[in-house]
Amino acid sequence: MAEALVSLAVLLAGLAFLLALWRFLAGPTAADRVVAFDVMTVIGISFIVILALLEGRGIYLDAALVYALLSFLGVIAVARYLERGY
Amino acid sequence: MAGLLDIVGGLLMVGGTAFLVFGGLGLVRMPDLFNRIHAGTKATTLGTLLTLAGAACLRPDWGWKLLLIAVFILSTNPLSAQVLARAAHRIGAAMSVKTRVDRLEEDQGA
Amino acid sequence: MILTAMTLFLCAAMIGAALFAVLGRSLPIAILAAGLVSLVASILFLVMAAPDVAMTEAAIGSGLTTFLFFFVLGRVRRGEND
């Protein structure tokens, strides 16, 4: 039962990644692409957690921890670039 | 009874990833940048928190690490969205034609 | 089974993002696409059971490289205007 629900969760996470990837490829401005990049990072964290559950290895969660800590750095760099030009 | 906790955890994970899909759908369907930031950030933050809660139900021994990830996401994700929205407002990103009121512009004009 | 399908989808997304980074016109968008390639590469390293490599890729590729490239791009653009 729980295995089937986790498999469904993998499928839904893939669908969400696909939708965000569409916005990344089609977004009219650079800021739209930055939003899609941020959303894809969050979906990636979620996917890493599901992967750790499927493989049964808790060490995989450290990569999700690094992403949760560092994902805002890139967005802040882009925002500074857009705002002030450096 | 471990079976009930497993089913609750699985349902929480499916609900969380469904919120991720809703966030992606809002990202595709919303008309302008600010609506996209709104849909993308709020829905995916809730979805990831629900997924982490479901993982904590399925594997209770990972609880502290999952709680740490949840705290980091809850503190950094709104920060990046707010910084990006402010930068987009300052460079004059195009708003939807249905936008009625812009409080930040009024505050800066006054 | 579902993991294999997801891995194939992630490989396709990675190739698409890499082509987008190479063929695109705009430089900031190319940097963002390179960060996306790094994100998918990190997830694929995890699928291949290498969590240490995935952690390094997450820290360097997604965090530091994007930050550094945008910093340098801003400095270069400002130097052109002088």
Side-chain angles (χ1 to χ4, degrees):
Chain A
M1 182 69 188
E3 292 287 324
L5 287 176
V6 173
S7 299
L8 183 62
V10 173
L11 206 64
L12 286 175
L15 182 61
F17 198 91
L18 187 65
L19 288 169
L21 189 68
W22 185 13
R23 177 49 70 196
F24 186 87
L25 295 179
T29 66
D32 288 302
R33 292 185 165 95
V34 179
V35 179
F37 180 72
D38 197 25
V39 169
M40 273 189 279
T41 308
V42 175
I43 294 171
I45 291 170
S46 190
F47 187 73
I48 288 172
V49 171
I50 298 173
L51 198 65
L53 271 179
L54 283 177
E55 304 273 336
R57 296 183 68 185
I59 192 75
Y60 286 8
L61 293 180
D62 289 359
L65 198 62
V66 171
Y67 265 116
L69 265 175
L70 292 182
S71 69
F72 75 106
L73 261 184
V75 177
I76 284 179
V78 182
R80 258 186 75 187
Y81 174 79
L82 289 177
E83 202 169 340
R84 282 178 245 160
Y86 65 92
Chain B
M1 186 174 172
L4 185 65
L5 200 60
D6 279 356
I7 291 178
V8 168
L11 285 179
L12 274 176
M13 296 199 76
V14 171
T17 44
F19 268 102
L20 291 183
V21 173
F22 295 154
L25 204 60
L27 204 61
V28 171
R29 289 286 299 163
M30 284 291 181
D32 66 349
L33 175 66
F34 299 100
N35 283 319
R36 279 175 204 143
I37 292 175
H38 176 99
T41 305
K42 279 186 182 173
T44 55
T45 303
L46 177 62
T48 309
L49 289 181
L50 282 180
T51 309
L52 291 172
C57 284
L58 286 174
R59 291 292 295 262
D61 50 329
W62 293 352
W64 287 108
K65 205 179 268 187
L66 291 170
L67 184 68
L68 203 59
I69 297 175
V71 167
F72 283 143
I73 285 178
L74 208 51
S75 54
T76 60
N77 214 355
L79 173 76
S80 61
Q82 195 265 344
V83 169
L84 184 62
R86 192 186 58 189
H89 190 274
R90 280 201 188 149
I91 63 171
M95 292 189 187
S96 165
V97 291
K98 290 181 181 173
T99 306
R100 294 289 176 84
V101 56
D102 186 357
R103 294 280 185 215
L104 183 55
E105 186 68 45
E106 290 172 10
D107 279 355
Q108 285 170 349
Chain C
M1 166 54 195
I2 186 91
L3 211 55
T4 310
M6 194 69 197
T7 307
L8 285 177
F9 165 66
L10 283 178
C11 289
M14 188 177 172
I15 292 173
L19 283 178
F20 195 73
V22 173
L23 298 177
R25 293 269 169 210
S26 162
L27 212 47
I29 293 170
I31 295 174
L32 278 177
L36 185 59
V37 171
S38 165
L39 168 70
V40 183
S42 163
I43 296 177
L44 285 177
F45 281 139
L46 275 186
V47 172
M48 290 183 273
D52 47 348
V53 187
M55 231 183 297
T56 312
E57 181 76 35
I60 302 296
S62 191
L64 188 63
T65 305
T66 311
F67 190 79
L68 196 67
F69 275 180
F70 269 103
F71 185 71
V72 172
L73 186 63
R75 296 297 285 265
V76 169
R77 285 284 157 83
R78 204 172 39 169
E80 274 177 3
N81 289 336
D82 285 343

